[in-house]
């Protein structure tokens, strides 16, 4: 750039100190990248390719399938699919809870039922000043029929130790044979009691039948009635306490 | 094709040169600080990924526990790098397309500094344990009003420029940019109000958060990347965009479909049953806007295969478009109810998809833009084609590994998570080899971006090549390292091909 060519040197200089050619060269160099750019062309008008339309169509079909899984659109009340039933879980949990021996299974279920007795007889079954103790009570660990009648119908008058507490209300409403069997097994084998047998569901069904057939249906039993009518074991096939049963259904497993 | 255009007149060149000069400070600031944030994010990414398979790594430092460092990694990547690269591209492209110099570059530059301050505070806040725990919104909640205002101050000038543009039709890139500029405040303000100001049901809050993530990708980063690609590819090749109707289809399908996406993350959660499936269907349908735009762009670019191969800007942009196609296929593949949907939402797969969109697509287009814009605003050419090639190849291999490994490894992990009778550790064990591979890939991407960052710093210091010939990625065995055109500062106007 040191030797200016005649064409450029003939241009008028604005300032003697500026070498126009040199300055021009620098400007060109500094904006060279910009100068060599091209304009963005007008938009092309190639037709849509068929394969692009087909590919988009396939994806539309897939998306339609996904929407199909959505159930009723915009039904803000439903948080799960209509008619949804929980599918079978994979793996070992599918067989349900692991079987337990009968005494443990009945007692575990009975412990849950006992929660309604907690309030008076206490979590430890010891009762208290105004409630009789279940631990060691003769009516609890003795014949099962009288125990069942007391649970189902309540108790009026003196208890097994001869003392008179308040009136025990009936607990039988809404209690199933399973609940009763489990509860009795739990109480007879908990709180220090250790009868060691299982009150079966069959026995509890019989107890419900006997309770419904009492002369004074709807009234709490008394010590006299117990001694007169109910000093027997409930009838039914005894169950070996070591039999393995399903802890939810309380039925023996093969 | 017969539509190759002539070189523009010198009047046009002067105007463009003036626009570039008016923007050189803010654009260069956004690009360099964005690149620095990218490096920060990648270092945090390596640490968080390493902790996923080696929990004892750096376990003495409470600031670097996984929950914090992972959140800081994504936040730095999104708000530090992604947004600043987007700002640089938007303000430059909107000025160019509206054919006006920027009159507010001082204000934009100041707002850019405020943005960096608030992002730094937010990131430190996360590391100090004050994160919100909402993915991608982890910055402490005091930041969001500042972010909103700063965003508005940076962006409003581009809207004004568009408003007072000379008559003429609105170019495809402008559709995408304008839409994204308006969508982001809508999404950001809505979610922040619903999560921070008027909090409702917490399960639904998780859904809103998932919608925010999805919308940030599909309604901000994707349209900005596409806008840039629709600018660069026709610009550098000098060819018309393949099909105008295809471009319209791509834009409008994006606008109509993508706001529905996002809530598929909550599949099975107690929210209205149809919402996650609607989200999954919308995400599947992302294929349509992405694929039509990608085909359109690739058809335009591949008509000039040599230019794509030689120009750093186009090579990165085209790779980003290929990344967009992979992302579109992954969107279909990862959202099929009954097979992948339940496996992909809480596993590495979701992360793989996010990184594919943020790095595999958006960052590659942003790199392309930087390789194109920086020589124009600094008046210097890139120093070394070898650095550019290193950046390109190491990045490509890294992101390919991350995407493939995270997406498929995540499915394996998801299968482990589904086995609810197995301990949770089973899922981690299944993901273990994939997590190691992801750490390795982040390391390679980090290395590639160290090359990039150094190169950009050199350009920022105006130490680039003073030449009027572009730095092209041609192989030059037995030639000068700068190509056949000559050496540094060869001076004088030449007749280089347009790039």
């Amino acid at each position: 750039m040191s030797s200016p060519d005649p064409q450029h040197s003939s241009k008028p200089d604005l300032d003697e100190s500026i070498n126009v050619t040199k300055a021009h060269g620098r400007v060109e160099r500094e904006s060279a990248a910009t100068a060599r750019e091209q304009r963005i062309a007008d938009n092309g008008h190639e037709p849509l390719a068929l394969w692009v339309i087909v590919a988009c169509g396939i994806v539309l079909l897939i998306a339609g399938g996904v929407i199909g899984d959505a159930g009723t659109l915009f039904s803000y009340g439903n948080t799960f699919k209509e008619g949804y039933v929980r599918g079978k879980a994979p793996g070992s949990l599918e067989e349900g809870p692991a079987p337990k021996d009968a005494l443990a299974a009945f007692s575990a279920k009975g412990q849950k039922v006992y929660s309604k007795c907690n309030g008076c007889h206490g979590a430890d079954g010891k009762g208290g000043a105004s409630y009789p103790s279940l631990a060691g009570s003769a009516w609890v660990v003795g014949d099962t029929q009288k125990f069942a009648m007391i649970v189902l119908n309540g108790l009026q008058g003196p208890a097994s130790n001869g003392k008179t507490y308040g009136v025990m209300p009936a607990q039988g409403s809404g209690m199933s044979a399973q609940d009763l069997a489990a509860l009795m097994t739990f109480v007879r084998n908990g709180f220090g009691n250790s009868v060691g047998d299982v009150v079966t569901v069959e026995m509890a069904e019989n107890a419900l039948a006997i309770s419904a057939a009492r002369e004074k249906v709807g009234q709490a039993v008394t010590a006299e009635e117990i001694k007169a009518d109910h000093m027997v074991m409930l009838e039914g096939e005894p169950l070996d306490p070591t039999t393995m049963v399903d802890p939810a259904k309380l039925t023996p497993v093969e | 094709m017969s539509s190759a255009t002539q070189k523009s007149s010198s009047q046009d060149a002067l105007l463009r040169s003036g626009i570039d000069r008016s923007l050189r400070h803010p654009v260069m600031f956004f690009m360099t600080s964005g690149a620095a944030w990218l490096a920060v994010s990648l270092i945090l990414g390596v640490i968080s990924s390493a902790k996923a398979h080696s929990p004892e790594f750096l376990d003495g430092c409470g600031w670097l526990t996984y929950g914090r460092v992972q959140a800081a990694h994504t936040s730095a990547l999104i708000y530090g790098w992604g947004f600043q690269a987007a700002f640089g591209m938007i303000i430059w492209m909107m000025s160019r397309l509206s054919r006006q110099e920027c009159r507010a570059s001082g204000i934009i530059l100041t707002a850019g500094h405020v943005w960096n301050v608030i992002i730094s505070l937010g990131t430190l806040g996360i590391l100090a344990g004050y994160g919100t725990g909402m993915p991608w919104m982890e910055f402490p909640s005091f930041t969001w009003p500042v972010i909103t205002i700063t965003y508005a101050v940076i962006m409003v000038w581009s809207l004004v420029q568009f408003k007072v543009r000379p008559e003429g039709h609105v170019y495809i890139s402008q559709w995408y940019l304008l839409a994204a500029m308006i969508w982001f405040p809508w999404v950001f303000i809505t979610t922040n109000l619903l999560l921070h100001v008027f909090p409702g049901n917490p399960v639904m809050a998780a859904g809103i958060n998932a919608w925010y993530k999805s919308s940030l990708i599909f309604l901000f980063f994707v349209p900005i990347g596409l806008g840039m690609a629709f600018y660069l590819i026709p610009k550098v090749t000098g060819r018309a965009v393949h099909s105008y109707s295809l471009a319209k289809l791509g834009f409008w399908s994006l606008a109509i479909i993508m706001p529905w996406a996002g809530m598929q993350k909550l599949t099975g959660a107690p929210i209205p049953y149809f919402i996650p499936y609607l989200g999954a269907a919308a995400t599947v349908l992302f294929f349509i806007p992405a694929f039509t735009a990608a085909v359109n762009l690739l058809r335009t670019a591949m008509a000039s295969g040599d230019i794509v191969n030689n120009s750093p800007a186009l090579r990165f942009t085209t790779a980003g478009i290929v990344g967009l196609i992979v992302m579109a296929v992954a969107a279909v593949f990862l959202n099929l109810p009954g097979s992948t949907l339940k496996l992909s939402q809480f596993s590495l797969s979701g992360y793989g998809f996010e990184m594919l969109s943020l790095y595999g697509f958006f960052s590659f287009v942003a790199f392309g833009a930087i390789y194109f814009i920086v020589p124009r605003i600094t008046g210097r050419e890139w120093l070394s084609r070898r650095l550019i090639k290193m950046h390109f190849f190491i990045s490509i291999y890294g992101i390919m590994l991350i995407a493939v490994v995270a997406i498929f490894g995540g499915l394996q992990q998801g299968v482990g998570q589904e086995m609810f009778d197995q301990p949770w550790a089973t899922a981690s064990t299944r993901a273990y080899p994939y997590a190691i591979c992801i750490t390795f890939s982040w390391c390679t991407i980090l290395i590639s971006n160290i090359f990039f960052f150094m190169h950009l710093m050199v350009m920022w210091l105006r130490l680039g090549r003073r030449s009027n010939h572009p730095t092209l990625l041609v192989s030059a065995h037995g030639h000068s390292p700068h190509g056949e055109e000559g050496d540094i500062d060869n001076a004088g106007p030449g007749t280089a091909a347009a790039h």
Side-chain angles (χ1 to χ4, degrees):
Chain A
M1 287 283 118
S2 54
S3 56
D5 59 317
Q7 197 189 349
H8 279 95
S9 56
S10 63
K11 283 183 179 176
D13 267 3
L14 298 174
D15 184 331
E16 287 303 321
S17 63
I18 293 179
N19 182 332
V20 172
T21 313
K22 213 169 183 175
H24 180 70
R26 201 190 70 233
V27 168
E28 283 222 7
R29 201 164 56 236
E30 297 248 313
S31 60
T34 318
R36 67 173 175 263
E37 267 178 42
Q38 311 186 63
R39 291 196 75 139
I40 288 186
D42 287 338
N43 297 306
H45 289 283
E46 300 288 326
L48 297 185
L50 183 63
W51 68 275
V52 174
I53 296 172
V54 169
C56 291
I58 293 172
V59 172
L60 262 176
L61 284 178
I62 296 175
V66 176
I67 291 239
D69 278 12
T72 318
L73 291 181
F74 305 106
S75 59
Y76 287 93
N78 298 345
T79 55
F80 55 88
K81 198 174 192 166
E82 280 166 51
Y84 172 77
V85 182
R86 190 176 177 280
K88 287 195 166 189
S92 59
L93 288 185
E94 188 36 41
E95 275 77 52
K100 283 181 178 172
D101 65 88
L103 195 59
F106 275 68
S107 294
K109 184 157 185 172
Q111 189 167 16
K112 286 180 195 153
V113 182
Y114 182 77
S115 62
K116 68 197 286 190
C117 318
N118 261 348
C120 300
H121 293 290
D124 57 357
K126 294 280 196 292
S130 36
Y131 301 104
S133 168
L134 300 175
S137 160
W139 289 355
V140 167
V141 299
D143 295 325
T144 48
Q145 190 175 332
K146 64 175 182 258
F147 184 24
M149 289 309 121
I150 296 169
V151 172
L152 290 172
N153 300 293
L155 179 69
Q156 213 170 9
S160 61
N161 55 6
K163 260 181 82 176
T164 301
Y165 302 85
V167 178
M168 169 178 165
Q171 305 295 328
S173 73
M175 188 176 273
S176 69
Q178 264 193 10
D179 290 344
L180 180 63
L183 176 67
M184 288 168 69
T185 308
F186 170 65
V187 177
R188 283 161 67 83
N189 296 289
F191 311 130
N193 302 333
S194 51
V195 183
D197 63 357
V198 171
V199 179
T200 63
V201 178
E202 185 195 2
M203 294 172 186
E205 277 164 357
N206 286 333
L208 289 172
I210 293 166
S211 170
R214 279 174 57 224
E215 273 174 40
K216 301 178 190 168
V217 169
Q219 292 182 30
V221 294
T222 57
E224 293 82 59
E225 187 191 338
I226 288 171
K227 282 172 187 149
D229 300 337
H230 303 303
M231 294 293 277
V232 286
M233 296 296 279
L234 287 163
E235 283 177 27
E237 193 76 21
L239 184 66
D240 181 356
T242 57
T243 316
M244 300 304 276
V245 299
D246 182 318
K249 301 179 200 148
L250 299 184
T251 50
V253 291
E254 303 306 319
Chain B
M1 269 195 212
S2 56
S3 50
T5 49
Q6 304 89 7
K7 284 218 175 173
S8 40
S9 67
S10 55
Q11 200 74 36
D12 269 348
L14 272 178
L15 175 61
R16 285 198 297 260
S17 182
I19 292 171
D20 290 352
R21 204 173 317 112
S22 75
L23 275 168
R24 66 182 184 276
H25 293 302
V27 169
M28 209 53 203
F29 175 76
F30 283 130
M31 284 170 177
T32 44
S33 64
W37 274 107
L38 177 62
V40 170
S41 159
L42 290 172
I43 292 168
L44 293 171
V46 169
I47 295 174
S48 83
S49 178
K51 277 168 176 287
H53 53 80
S54 311
E56 70 281 2
F57 178 63
L58 292 179
D59 61 355
C61 178
W63 284 54
L64 294 179
T65 44
Y66 179 79
R68 296 184 191 181
V69 82
Q70 165 73 16
H73 152 62
T74 47
S75 299
L77 185 64
I78 292 162
Y79 300 97
W81 156 244
F83 267 85
Q84 298 209 74
F87 290 154
M89 298 194 297
I90 293 172
I91 58 176
W92 183 81
M93 214 178 344
M94 286 305 271
S95 286
R96 279 290 193 100
L97 286 168
S98 309
R99 307 188 65 74
Q100 286 160 61
E101 292 184 9
C102 180
R103 292 186 185 80
S105 49
I107 299 174
I108 294 176
L109 187 63
T110 313
H113 281 87
V114 175
W115 182 273
N116 272 274
V117 168
I118 199 72
I119 300 303
S120 311
L121 285 179
T123 308
L124 287 175
I126 292 172
L127 290 176
Y130 296 102
T132 61
M134 303 168 184
W136 292 28
M137 303 173 64
E138 273 116 344
F139 286 154
S141 54
F142 74 87
T143 55
W144 79 265
V146 188
I147 287 180
T148 313
I149 294 166
T150 316
Y151 175 89
V153 173
I154 295 171
M155 290 283 92
V156 70
W157 312 105
S158 297
L159 289 177
V160 171
Q161 281 181 328
F162 179 77
K163 179 74 185 153
V164 299
R165 72 191 183 279
E167 292 297 309
H169 82 278
V170 180
Y171 182 62
I172 302 166
S173 296
Q174 284 167 301
W175 311 342
Y176 280 109
L177 292 185
L178 276 177
M181 285 158 69
I182 296 164
W183 281 333
F184 172 71
W186 165 54
V187 169
F188 191 71
I189 294 174
T190 308
T191 42
N192 277 291
L193 282 179
L194 287 177
L195 295 181
H196 293 312
V197 184
F198 312 111
N201 184 311
V203 180
M204 207 58 210
I208 294 167
N209 190 200
W211 178 74
Y212 174 75
K213 281 173 78 168
S214 158
S215 299
L216 204 55
I217 293 177
F218 295 132
L219 298 180
F220 187 74
F221 288 121
V222 165
I224 293 210
L226 281 177
M228 193 73 229
F230 268 109
Y231 184 88
L232 271 189
I233 290 177
K235 187 86 184 167
V236 179
T237 60
R239 286 175 192 279
V241 170
H242 175 69
S243 164
Y244 187 63
S245 4
L246 204 55
K248 278 199 283 196
L249 174 65
F251 175 77
W252 285 110
S253 54
L254 184 85
I256 292 166
I257 295 168
M258 294 334 292
W260 297 91
M263 295 242 191
Q264 71 272 19
K265 173 117 188 168
L266 285 241
T267 310
I271 62 170
Y273 180 74
F274 72 94
I275 291 181
Y277 290 90
L278 207 55
T283 313
V284 167
L285 285 178
F286 173 64
F287 183 86
I288 292 177
F291 189 67
T292 47
V295 166
N296 209 357
L297 288 164
L298 288 183
R299 277 284 177 98
T300 313
M302 286 311 168
S304 339
D306 275 355
I307 301 183
V308 171
N309 199 30
N310 293 343
S311 151
L314 269 209
R315 198 190 269 200
F316 273 91
T317 308
T318 315
I321 297 305
V322 174
L324 181 67
I325 294 182
V326 178
M327 190 184 152
V329 174
V332 177
F333 175 69
L334 290 177
N335 286 286
L336 302 174
S339 55
T340 51
L341 181 57
K342 61 184 173 185
L343 306 179
S344 58
Q345 300 305 322
F346 292 95
S347 60
L348 287 174
S349 300
Y351 180 71
F353 183 75
E354 287 157 11
M355 289 309 130
L356 188 57
S357 60
L358 289 177
Y359 199 92
F361 167 60
F362 177 78
S363 296
F364 268 87
V365 174
F367 292 141
I370 289 176
Y371 282 118
F372 184 81
I373 295 172
V374 167
R376 278 155 182 78
I377 56 181
T378 57
R380 302 284 189 279
E381 296 297 336
W382 291 96
L383 203 56
S384 155
R385 79 163 64 87
R386 212 163 285 148
L387 281 176
I388 300 178
K389 279 186 176 174
M390 293 273 240
H391 181 209
F392 181 78
F393 283 111
I394 303 180
S395 264
I396 278 277
Y397 290 131
I399 191 60
M400 271 172 27
L401 258 182
I402 288 187
V404 170
V405 164
I407 284 174
F408 288 98
L411 294 181
Q412 280 291 321
Q413 187 189 12
V415 170
Q417 291 172 347
E418 283 290 307
M419 297 178 177
F420 57 82
D421 53 342
Q422 298 287 322
W424 185 253
T426 315
S428 302
T429 314
R430 279 170 166 265
Y432 185 76
Y434 301 100
I436 291 180
C437 189
I438 290 175
T439 307
F440 169 75
S441 316
W442 276 130
C443 288
T444 60
I445 290 186
L446 175 63
I447 291 167
S448 81
N449 280 291
I450 288 172
F451 288 125
F452 169 64
F453 185 63
M454 286 184 336
H455 207 176
L456 189 59
M457 276 298 134
V458 166
M459 294 294 282
W460 181 60
L461 296 170
R462 311 257 293 178
L463 294 175
R465 235 157 32 87
R466 307 180 74 193
S467 161
N468 49 8
H469 294 285
T471 306
L472 297 180
L473 302 179
V474 288
S475 54
H477 297 295
H479 287 284
S480 136
H482 301 298
E484 58 197 19
E485 321 80 46
D487 281 317
I488 294 175
D489 206 358
N490 65 342
T495 50
H499 291 292

